[in-house]
Amino acid sequence: MIRVLFLVICLASAAIGGVYDSKPIPKRKRHTVTDFIYPYFEVMAGVEKITTKIKTESYTHWYHDKKLDEMVYDEDLYYDIYSFNGAGPNIEAKLGVQLIKHVAFFLNLGLAWPIGSSHYKYYSLDKEEYIDRGYIYQPFFGVGTKVYPFVQWLPVLDGIFIGASLIRTYANGSWEDYGMTYDNHEDGYKLEAGHLWNITGHYFIGITANMASYSCSTSDAYSHNAFGIGQNPTRPPDESKTKVYGISLTVVFK
């Protein structure tokens, strides 16, 4: 009886082993480019604060004092002095690709229209200053990158990102109405940081804080001679600073 029972156990084991041996071995998955590169699309809408200051140092630092009726030297003599201070809405879109879910490369395209006051002054010694109030439309474009350092590593910090872009922005060129020879575009960079939350599938929503710095030069439309009859000498401004600080609601597909 024991021999018969032992024989039955052996046959059953052989049958079970044969069933498992007959299953096909799964093929190893081959990775393709689409496993590492994903489309990236982002839309931002928010508000920003902008300040601009542009002025050019005098060549000679001499000016004619009407009261004294003589030439006077001033170390701090500047001309074509322009400034703007305002705030307003902005929108921006980014289109590109994302690599291994951690790094995105994209093209920037956007528009800002802050409202504020523009100040114009021909010389630093002038008491008279011209002030215009209203909107300034500033379209801009550039290229940039954004890093998501904690994706799939630390779930608590999964949505944090940082980014940087090289930007060219266009002003309305209102200083040309006052004979100032500055370009109507500025070049610079923009930095941003924020956090995203997953809504569903590939869609995310979050908050982005950003800051930017731009500067401009003299216009190519004018002669670059040192002196010209009836116009100020054209040269790059000694001080050209535009600072932007903003916050935006961000929607991302990745």
Side-chain angles (χ1 to χ4, degrees):
M1 184 66 181
I2 296 176
R3 292 180 180 179
V4 174
L5 182 61
F6 180 75
L7 179 60
V8 170
I9 293 174
C10 290
L11 292 174
S13 299
I16 294 173
V19 171
Y20 281 104
D21 290 341
S22 64
K23 288 185 176 181
I25 299 175
K27 294 182 179 180
R28 186 174 180 178
K29 181 181 178 181
R30 293 185 179 182
H31 292 289
T32 62
V33 175
T34 56
D35 294 325
F36 303 98
I37 300 178
Y38 309 85
Y40 186 91
F41 181 70
E42 179 177 324
V43 177
M44 301 169 58
V47 294
E48 64 180 26
K49 168 73 173 178
I50 177 172
T51 58
T52 298
K53 295 181 180 179
I54 306 174
K55 63 181 182 180
T56 302
E57 185 179 356
S58 170
Y59 273 96
T60 63
H61 293 275
W62 288 90
Y63 71 97
H64 180 254
D65 189 304
K66 294 181 179 180
K67 291 183 178 180
L68 300 176
D69 194 23
E70 63 181 25
M71 299 299 293
V72 178
Y73 182 83
D74 186 346
E75 183 67 28
D76 297 319
L77 184 62
Y78 288 84
Y79 67 91
D80 284 357
I81 302 169
Y82 168 82
S83 65
F84 175 81
N85 192 347
N90 71 293
I91 57 174
E92 181 177 355
K94 300 173 181 176
L95 179 63
V97 295
Q98 184 173 352
L99 306 181
I100 58 174
K101 298 185 179 181
H102 287 281
V103 183
F105 298 94
F106 47 76
L107 300 176
N108 305 56
L109 184 64
L111 174 67
W113 55 100
I115 184 173
S117 298
S118 299
H119 296 249
Y120 308 87
K121 201 173 184 179
Y122 289 119
Y123 285 95
S124 54
L125 296 176
D126 292 342
K127 294 182 180 180
E128 187 175 16
E129 185 179 53
Y130 305 95
I131 302 176
D132 292 335
R133 293 181 175 87
Y135 283 98
I136 292 180
Y137 295 94
Q138 293 185 309
F140 61 88
F141 69 92
V143 294
T145 182
K146 184 174 286 187
V147 179
Y148 296 85
F150 305 111
V151 172
Q152 297 179 334
W153 291 352
L154 295 175
V156 177
L157 305 177
D158 189 71
I160 291 178
F161 62 84
I162 56 175
S165 301
L166 297 176
I167 299 292
R168 168 164 286 191
T169 180
Y170 290 88
N172 61 354
S174 60
W175 46 68
E176 295 180 0
D177 297 336
Y178 294 83
M180 298 180 180
T181 59
Y182 299 123
D183 269 333
N184 66 348
H185 70 263
E186 297 177 298
D187 296 312
Y189 63 89
K190 181 170 71 172
L191 306 176
E192 57 186 6
H195 191 282
L196 296 177
W197 292 270
N198 183 238
I199 301 302
T200 177
H202 295 279
Y203 289 93
F204 298 77
I205 189 170
I207 298 294
T208 300
N210 64 78
M211 68 83 59
S213 178
Y214 309 118
S215 62
C216 76
S217 60
T218 54
S219 175
D220 294 333
Y222 293 85
S223 169
H224 289 271
N225 296 328
F227 294 95
I229 298 176
Q231 67 180 43
N232 290 323
T234 59
R235 56 184 291 187
D238 294 271
E239 180 179 330
S240 172
K241 298 179 181 178
T242 294
K243 297 294 184 181
V244 181
Y245 300 93
I247 188 167
S248 301
L249 179 67
T250 305
V251 179
V252 175
F253 173 85
K254 62 175 181 172

